[in-house]
């Protein structure tokens, strides 16, 4: 997979324009973690996200879990949600192969690069209660605010379905 072709920010923005998906954009310094993104004061409306790109034990199934950024996810409970025996974080190579992006830029918008529809999409019900969702546009130097209905339209136009689930919170120790 050629990163320059599939990870093209211009391609994503053309896709958004072609499918009439409106957004508000804020450019910022690169952020690599949720903690770094929390320090930004972008003034954008929407639920901030944490995105987990996971694979099953055999590496045959890949999942993009999207939750509200402050949620402490209980990774041990996630396999039950997707009828899998074991899930672990996918490698940067798998992330590049399936979503055409590098670590730090994981977002629902990367589905534009999964033209074969190999990634299963799971969205937390709590996040989906927001009217707008914040997403990186294939780079960790910008954030888009997109209305939930427009984001749903985007996901459908990429050829994906998504499942709304109650992602379990990690128990407080």
């Amino acid at each position: 997979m050629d990163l320059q072709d599939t990870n093209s920010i211009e391609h994503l923005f053309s896709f958004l324009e072609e499918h009439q998906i409106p957004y508000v954009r804020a450019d910022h310094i690169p952020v690599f973690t949720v903690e770094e993104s929390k320090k930004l004061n972008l003034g954008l409306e929407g639920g901030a996200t944490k995105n987990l790109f996971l694979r099953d034990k055999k590496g045959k199934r890949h999942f993009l879990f999207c939750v509200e950024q402050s949620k402490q996810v209980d990774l041990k409970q996630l396999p039950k949600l997707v009828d899998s025996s074991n899930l672990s974080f996918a490698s940067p190579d798998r992330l590049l192969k399936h979503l055409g992006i590098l670590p730090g830029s994981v977002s629902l918008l990367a589905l534009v690069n999964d033209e074969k529809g190999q990634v299963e999409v799971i969205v937390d019900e709590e996040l989906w209660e927001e009217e707008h969702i914040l997403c990186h546009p294939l780079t960790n130097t910008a954030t888009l605010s997109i209305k939930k209905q427009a984001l749903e339209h985007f996901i459908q136009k990429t050829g994906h379905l998504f499942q709304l689930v109650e992602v379990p919170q990690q128990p407080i120790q």
Side-chain angles (χ1 to χ4, degrees), residues 58-158:
K58 295 182 180 181
K60 297 206 183 285
R61 293 174 70 194
H62 294 82
F63 304 91
L64 178 57
F65 279 85
C66 188
V67 302
E68 200 284 327
Q69 79 173 1
S70 63
K71 189 166 204 170
Q72 295 298 314
V73 178
D74 187 350
L75 293 175
K76 294 176 185 167
Q77 299 300 315
L78 295 183
K80 296 176 190 174
L81 299 177
V82 295
D83 193 27
S84 179
S85 60
N86 191 6
L87 295 178
S88 61
F89 285 98
S91 69
D93 287 342
R94 285 179 186 267
L95 180 60
L96 184 59
K97 176 183 176 186
H98 292 285
L99 291 177
I101 55 173
L102 300 172
S105 300
V106 181
S107 109
L108 289 169
L109 297 179
L111 294 172
V112 74
N113 291 332
D114 180 31
E115 294 174 356
K116 295 180 182 175
Q118 296 179 321
V119 176
E120 298 177 47
V121 184
I122 312 296
V123 178
D124 187 37
E125 290 173 346
E126 182 180 344
L127 175 65
W128 205 247
E129 291 174 6
E130 297 286 340
E131 187 176 334
H132 293 81
I133 309 290
L134 302 180
C135 301
H136 284 310
L138 310 183
T139 177
N140 63 355
T141 61
T143 300
L144 304 185
S145 173
I146 303 176
K147 280 193 171 189
K148 175 176 54 179
Q149 293 83 357
L151 190 56
E152 184 172 3
H153 179 67
F154 168 83
I155 294 169
Q156 291 170 347
K157 288 299 180 184
T158 65

Side-chain angles (χ1 to χ4, degrees), residues 3-31:
L3 183 61
Q4 293 302 319
D5 290 339
T6 60
N7 191 18
S8 166
I9 295 171
E10 292 80 16
H11 170 68
L12 170 64
F13 285 108
S14 294
F15 186 93
L16 294 173
E17 185 176 320
E18 176 186 342
H19 296 288
Q20 300 177 347
I21 299 168
Y23 58 86
V24 176
R25 177 180 177 157
D27 293 304
H28 50 75
I29 61 170
V31 292

